[in-house]
Amino acid sequence: MTAGKEPSLNIETRGDGPRLVMLHGWALNSHVWDDIVEPLAQRFTIVRIDLPGHGGSPWPPRFDDLESLARVLAPQLSGGAVILGWSLGSLAGLQLALTHPAEVRALVLVAATPRFLNDAYWRHGVDPDVLEDFAARLRKDQEGTVRDFLALQVRGDERAMQTLRTLRRRVLDSGPTHPAALAAGLEVLKRADLRESLGAISVPTLVLAGEHDRLTPVEGSRELAAGLKRARFALVEQAAHAPFISHREVFLREVEQFLARLPAPSA
Protein backbone atom coordinates (compact mmCIF):
# COMPACT_ATOMS: atom_id res chain seq x y z
CA MET A 1 0.00 0.00 0.00
CA THR A 2 1.28 3.47 -0.86
CA ALA A 3 2.50 5.42 2.16
CA GLY A 4 -0.20 7.74 3.48
CA LYS A 5 -2.99 6.15 1.44
CA GLU A 6 -5.96 4.77 3.35
CA PRO A 7 -7.09 1.18 2.70
CA SER A 8 -9.89 0.69 0.22
CA LEU A 9 -13.48 -0.18 1.06
CA ASN A 10 -14.75 -3.70 0.43
CA ILE A 11 -16.86 -3.51 -2.73
CA GLU A 12 -18.63 -6.24 -4.69
CA THR A 13 -19.77 -5.60 -8.25
CA ARG A 14 -22.19 -7.81 -10.19
CA GLY A 15 -24.42 -7.53 -13.24
CA ASP A 16 -24.46 -5.28 -16.27
CA GLY A 17 -26.05 -1.94 -17.05
CA PRO A 18 -26.37 1.40 -15.22
CA ARG A 19 -24.81 1.51 -11.76
CA LEU A 20 -26.95 0.80 -8.70
CA VAL A 21 -24.98 1.50 -5.51
CA MET A 22 -26.26 -0.21 -2.35
CA LEU A 23 -25.57 1.32 1.08
CA HIS A 24 -26.52 -0.72 4.16
CA GLY A 25 -27.42 0.37 7.68
CA TRP A 26 -25.69 0.64 11.05
CA ALA A 27 -23.88 -2.48 12.36
CA LEU A 28 -24.73 -4.53 9.26
CA ASN A 29 -22.91 -5.15 5.99
CA SER A 30 -23.60 -5.55 2.28
CA HIS A 31 -24.83 -9.13 2.76
CA VAL A 32 -28.17 -7.69 3.89
CA TRP A 33 -28.93 -7.23 0.18
CA ASP A 34 -28.30 -10.90 -0.74
CA ASP A 35 -31.97 -11.68 -1.39
CA ILE A 36 -32.50 -8.92 -3.96
CA VAL A 37 -29.19 -8.73 -5.81
CA GLU A 38 -29.82 -11.33 -8.52
CA PRO A 39 -33.11 -9.87 -9.88
CA LEU A 40 -31.71 -6.33 -9.96
CA ALA A 41 -28.44 -7.48 -11.54
CA GLN A 42 -30.39 -8.45 -14.66
CA ARG A 43 -30.68 -4.76 -15.55
CA PHE A 44 -28.10 -2.98 -13.41
CA THR A 45 -24.49 -3.16 -12.40
CA ILE A 46 -24.91 -3.74 -8.68
CA VAL A 47 -22.24 -2.12 -6.52
CA ARG A 48 -22.47 -3.30 -2.92
CA ILE A 49 -20.32 -1.33 -0.49
CA ASP A 50 -19.42 -2.23 3.08
CA LEU A 51 -19.34 1.06 4.99
CA PRO A 52 -16.02 1.84 6.71
CA GLY A 53 -15.35 -0.59 9.55
CA HIS A 54 -18.36 -2.72 8.59
CA GLY A 55 -18.26 -6.14 6.94
CA GLY A 56 -15.05 -6.52 4.96
CA SER A 57 -14.15 -2.81 4.93
CA PRO A 58 -11.26 -1.70 7.14
CA TRP A 59 -11.17 1.15 9.63
CA PRO A 60 -9.79 3.55 8.43
CA PRO A 61 -11.06 4.97 6.14
CA ARG A 62 -12.88 6.62 8.97
CA PHE A 63 -15.81 9.00 9.24
CA ASP A 64 -17.11 11.09 12.12
CA ASP A 65 -20.15 12.80 10.59
CA LEU A 66 -22.46 12.50 7.61
CA GLU A 67 -20.31 14.77 5.44
CA SER A 68 -17.14 12.73 5.94
CA LEU A 69 -19.04 9.47 5.34
CA ALA A 70 -20.27 10.86 2.02
CA ARG A 71 -16.72 11.85 1.05
CA VAL A 72 -15.53 8.29 1.60
CA LEU A 73 -18.33 6.88 -0.55
CA ALA A 74 -18.33 9.48 -3.34
CA PRO A 75 -15.64 7.86 -5.54
CA GLN A 76 -17.99 4.92 -6.18
CA LEU A 77 -20.46 7.24 -7.94
CA SER A 78 -18.13 7.92 -10.85
CA GLY A 79 -20.15 8.04 -14.05
CA GLY A 80 -23.46 8.49 -12.28
CA ALA A 81 -25.44 6.02 -10.17
CA VAL A 82 -28.76 5.23 -8.61
CA ILE A 83 -28.29 4.94 -4.84
CA LEU A 84 -30.25 2.37 -2.86
CA GLY A 85 -29.78 3.31 0.80
CA TRP A 86 -31.22 1.70 3.91
CA SER A 87 -31.48 3.48 7.29
CA LEU A 88 -28.00 4.97 7.91
CA GLY A 89 -27.30 4.27 4.24
CA SER A 90 -30.32 6.36 3.25
CA LEU A 91 -28.92 9.35 5.12
CA ALA A 92 -25.65 8.85 3.26
CA GLY A 93 -27.57 8.69 -0.01
CA LEU A 94 -29.33 11.97 0.70
CA GLN A 95 -26.03 13.63 1.60
CA LEU A 96 -24.43 12.36 -1.62
CA ALA A 97 -27.34 13.77 -3.63
CA LEU A 98 -26.68 17.12 -1.98
CA THR A 99 -22.90 17.21 -2.38
CA HIS A 100 -22.52 15.26 -5.65
CA PRO A 101 -25.74 15.99 -7.59
CA ALA A 102 -24.16 15.40 -10.99
CA GLU A 103 -23.19 11.85 -9.98
CA VAL A 104 -26.54 10.76 -8.51
CA ARG A 105 -29.24 9.78 -11.04
CA ALA A 106 -31.90 8.76 -8.55
CA LEU A 107 -32.47 7.63 -4.96
CA VAL A 108 -34.25 4.62 -3.50
CA LEU A 109 -34.50 5.27 0.24
CA VAL A 110 -35.60 2.49 2.60
CA ALA A 111 -36.52 3.08 6.25
CA ALA A 112 -35.41 6.64 5.63
CA THR A 113 -35.67 9.85 7.61
CA PRO A 114 -34.10 13.31 7.37
CA ARG A 115 -33.53 13.23 11.14
CA PHE A 116 -33.18 10.07 13.22
CA LEU A 117 -33.80 11.59 16.66
CA ASN A 118 -36.81 13.37 18.08
CA ASP A 119 -36.58 17.02 19.04
CA ALA A 120 -39.04 19.81 19.83
CA TYR A 121 -39.97 20.16 16.14
CA TRP A 122 -39.63 16.55 14.98
CA ARG A 123 -41.60 13.77 16.65
CA HIS A 124 -41.08 11.07 14.03
CA GLY A 125 -37.87 9.56 15.33
CA VAL A 126 -36.22 7.86 18.27
CA ASP A 127 -35.99 9.50 21.67
CA PRO A 128 -32.42 10.73 22.34
CA ASP A 129 -32.12 8.73 25.56
CA VAL A 130 -32.62 5.49 23.59
CA LEU A 131 -29.60 6.28 21.42
CA GLU A 132 -27.57 7.36 24.46
CA ASP A 133 -28.40 4.03 26.09
CA PHE A 134 -27.20 2.17 23.01
CA ALA A 135 -23.95 4.16 23.02
CA ALA A 136 -23.32 3.45 26.71
CA ARG A 137 -24.10 -0.25 26.37
CA LEU A 138 -21.98 -0.50 23.23
CA ARG A 139 -18.86 0.34 25.23
CA LYS A 140 -19.55 -2.54 27.63
CA ASP A 141 -21.15 -5.22 25.46
CA GLN A 142 -20.87 -4.74 21.70
CA GLU A 143 -22.30 -8.12 20.73
CA GLY A 144 -25.30 -7.85 23.04
CA THR A 145 -26.05 -4.29 21.97
CA VAL A 146 -26.00 -5.16 18.28
CA ARG A 147 -28.17 -8.21 18.97
CA ASP A 148 -30.76 -6.05 20.74
CA PHE A 149 -30.65 -3.49 17.92
CA LEU A 150 -31.44 -6.20 15.38
CA ALA A 151 -34.38 -7.33 17.50
CA LEU A 152 -35.70 -3.77 17.58
CA GLN A 153 -35.56 -3.62 13.78
CA VAL A 154 -38.06 -6.47 13.33
CA ARG A 155 -40.50 -5.55 16.11
CA GLY A 156 -44.02 -5.33 14.67
CA ASP A 157 -43.18 -7.20 11.46
CA GLU A 158 -45.53 -10.06 10.62
CA ARG A 159 -42.45 -12.16 9.79
CA ALA A 160 -40.35 -10.94 12.69
CA MET A 161 -38.57 -14.14 13.74
CA GLN A 162 -37.71 -15.18 10.19
CA THR A 163 -36.37 -11.69 9.41
CA LEU A 164 -34.40 -11.56 12.66
CA ARG A 165 -32.72 -14.89 11.91
CA THR A 166 -31.72 -13.56 8.48
CA LEU A 167 -30.31 -10.32 9.90
CA ARG A 168 -28.31 -12.20 12.53
CA ARG A 169 -26.94 -14.54 9.87
CA ARG A 170 -25.93 -11.59 7.66
CA VAL A 171 -24.04 -10.02 10.57
CA LEU A 172 -22.16 -13.28 11.08
CA ASP A 173 -21.39 -13.55 7.36
CA SER A 174 -18.73 -10.85 7.62
CA GLY A 175 -17.85 -10.77 11.30
CA PRO A 176 -18.23 -8.02 13.90
CA THR A 177 -18.18 -4.33 13.03
CA HIS A 178 -15.20 -2.30 14.23
CA PRO A 179 -16.09 -0.66 17.58
CA ALA A 180 -14.98 2.79 16.37
CA ALA A 181 -17.19 2.46 13.30
CA LEU A 182 -20.20 1.59 15.46
CA ALA A 183 -19.57 4.61 17.67
CA ALA A 184 -19.13 6.85 14.60
CA GLY A 185 -22.37 5.54 13.09
CA LEU A 186 -24.29 6.33 16.26
CA GLU A 187 -22.80 9.82 16.21
CA VAL A 188 -24.05 10.32 12.65
CA LEU A 189 -27.53 9.17 13.65
CA LYS A 190 -27.41 11.51 16.63
CA ARG A 191 -26.30 14.63 14.75
CA ALA A 192 -27.60 14.32 11.18
CA ASP A 193 -30.46 16.66 10.30
CA LEU A 194 -31.25 17.21 6.62
CA ARG A 195 -34.72 18.73 7.01
CA GLU A 196 -33.68 22.17 5.77
CA SER A 197 -31.74 20.74 2.81
CA LEU A 198 -34.38 18.49 1.24
CA GLY A 199 -35.59 21.16 -1.19
CA ALA A 200 -32.16 21.20 -2.82
CA ILE A 201 -32.43 17.54 -3.87
CA SER A 202 -34.08 17.27 -7.28
CA VAL A 203 -33.35 13.71 -8.44
CA PRO A 204 -36.22 11.21 -8.79
CA THR A 205 -36.67 9.44 -5.45
CA LEU A 206 -38.60 6.47 -4.15
CA VAL A 207 -39.16 6.43 -0.38
CA LEU A 208 -40.11 2.98 0.94
CA ALA A 209 -41.36 2.52 4.51
CA GLY A 210 -42.39 -0.47 6.58
CA GLU A 211 -45.83 0.00 8.11
CA HIS A 212 -44.68 -1.01 11.62
CA ASP A 213 -41.13 0.38 11.63
CA ARG A 214 -40.19 1.35 15.22
CA LEU A 215 -36.86 2.98 14.35
CA THR A 216 -37.86 5.21 11.44
CA PRO A 217 -41.63 5.63 11.77
CA VAL A 218 -43.79 5.86 8.67
CA GLU A 219 -44.70 9.49 9.43
CA GLY A 220 -41.04 10.49 9.17
CA SER A 221 -40.68 8.78 5.80
CA ARG A 222 -43.84 10.50 4.56
CA GLU A 223 -42.45 13.88 5.66
CA LEU A 224 -39.19 13.07 3.89
CA ALA A 225 -40.98 12.30 0.63
CA ALA A 226 -43.10 15.46 0.96
CA GLY A 227 -39.98 17.58 1.43
CA LEU A 228 -38.25 16.29 -1.72
CA LYS A 229 -39.02 17.79 -5.12
CA ARG A 230 -39.53 14.57 -7.09
CA ALA A 231 -40.32 11.84 -4.59
CA ARG A 232 -42.90 9.08 -4.41
CA PHE A 233 -43.79 7.38 -1.13
CA ALA A 234 -44.64 3.66 -0.95
CA LEU A 235 -45.80 1.75 2.13
CA VAL A 236 -44.91 -1.90 2.65
CA GLU A 237 -47.76 -3.23 4.76
CA GLN A 238 -47.07 -5.47 7.76
CA ALA A 239 -43.32 -4.82 7.42
CA ALA A 240 -40.95 -3.20 9.90
CA HIS A 241 -37.42 -1.83 9.37
CA ALA A 242 -36.11 -4.34 6.79
CA PRO A 243 -38.83 -4.80 4.12
CA PHE A 244 -36.33 -5.97 1.49
CA ILE A 245 -35.92 -9.11 3.62
CA SER A 246 -39.34 -9.59 5.20
CA HIS A 247 -41.41 -8.64 2.13
CA ARG A 248 -38.99 -9.25 -0.71
CA GLU A 249 -41.48 -9.59 -3.56
CA VAL A 250 -43.42 -6.43 -2.68
CA PHE A 251 -40.18 -4.53 -2.22
CA LEU A 252 -38.73 -5.69 -5.54
CA ARG A 253 -41.93 -4.84 -7.40
CA GLU A 254 -41.90 -1.26 -6.10
CA VAL A 255 -38.20 -0.78 -6.81
CA GLU A 256 -38.26 -2.34 -10.28
CA GLN A 257 -41.28 -0.26 -11.33
CA PHE A 258 -39.56 2.91 -10.13
CA LEU A 259 -36.28 2.08 -11.87
CA ALA A 260 -38.06 1.19 -15.12
CA ARG A 261 -39.48 4.72 -15.32
CA LEU A 262 -36.11 6.46 -14.99
CA PRO A 263 -34.66 8.17 -18.08
CA ALA A 264 -31.74 6.35 -19.65
CA PRO A 265 -28.39 7.52 -18.25
CA SER A 266 -26.43 10.03 -20.30
CA ALA A 267 -23.71 8.54 -22.45
Side-chain angles (χ1 to χ4, degrees):
M1 184 176 65
T2 304
K5 185 178 180 180
E6 288 191 332
S8 299
L9 297 176
N10 183 56
I11 299 170
E12 179 189 289
T13 303
R14 186 182 306 182
D16 187 38
R19 290 166 68 82
L20 176 60
V21 175
M22 294 180 164
L23 304 177
H24 62 79
W26 184 80
L28 273 298
N29 56 66
S30 59
H31 283 292
V32 297
W33 306 114
D34 281 356
D35 294 342
I36 65 170
V37 166
E38 288 303 328
L40 294 174
Q42 304 305 310
R43 293 183 52 240
F44 287 84
T45 297
I46 305 300
V47 182
R48 290 198 284 179
I49 304 175
D50 283 333
L51 301 182
H54 294 66
S57 286
W59 182 269
R62 68 184 69 248
F63 63 92
D64 52 21
D65 55 22
L66 193 55
E67 291 80 4
S68 56
L69 176 58
R71 284 196 297 271
V72 171
L73 298 171
Q76 304 311 317
L77 304 180
S78 179
V82 176
I83 297 176
L84 170 52
W86 172 50
S87 199
L88 174 60
S90 70
L91 280 167
L94 286 165
Q95 182 65 35
L96 285 163
L98 283 168
T99 56
H100 296 77
E103 301 292 348
V104 178
R105 290 181 56 221
L107 294 170
V108 178
L109 306 176
V110 188
T113 177
R115 177 178 171 83
F116 189 75
L117 292 185
N118 285 333
D119 67 10
Y121 303 100
W122 181 260
R123 307 307 301 173
H124 308 315
V126 172
D127 287 334
D129 57 351
V130 172
L131 204 65
E132 291 297 338
D133 178 63
F134 267 109
R137 292 173 55 204
L138 191 64
R139 293 188 287 269
K140 300 176 182 178
D141 180 11
Q142 174 172 321
E143 182 179 348
T145 303
V146 171
R147 185 172 59 246
D148 290 347
F149 183 73
L150 297 181
L152 183 59
Q153 292 188 34
V154 304
R155 202 170 291 173
D157 195 301
E158 66 177 349
R159 299 165 185 160
M161 292 311 301
Q162 177 184 342
T163 305
L164 180 57
R165 285 193 294 269
T166 300
L167 285 170
R168 286 174 173 169
R169 187 167 64 251
R170 300 288 154 79
V171 169
L172 293 174
D173 282 344
S174 293
T177 305
H178 193 288
L182 289 174
L186 287 182
E187 193 64 21
V188 170
L189 294 175
K190 177 181 177 181
R191 295 165 53 189
D193 188 348
L194 297 177
R195 288 174 293 179
E196 299 300 320
S197 303
L198 296 180
I201 297 174
S202 58
V203 296
T205 303
L206 173 64
V207 179
L208 280 156
E211 181 181 15
H212 301 306
D213 194 334
R214 306 292 178 87
L215 287 170
T216 51
V218 172
E219 293 81 4
S221 294
R222 289 188 191 276
E223 289 289 329
L224 169 62
L228 295 166
K229 290 182 176 179
R230 300 171 64 190
R232 186 174 77 82
F233 174 83
L235 181 69
V236 183
E237 295 181 354
Q238 303 300 317
H241 196 63
F244 50 91
I245 293 175
S246 63
H247 294 71
R248 173 181 179 273
E249 298 304 323
V250 175
F251 180 88
L252 277 172
R253 182 173 65 248
E254 291 286 352
V255 171
E256 288 173 339
Q257 288 176 355
F258 171 77
L259 295 177
R261 291 193 291 266
L262 293 178
S266 301

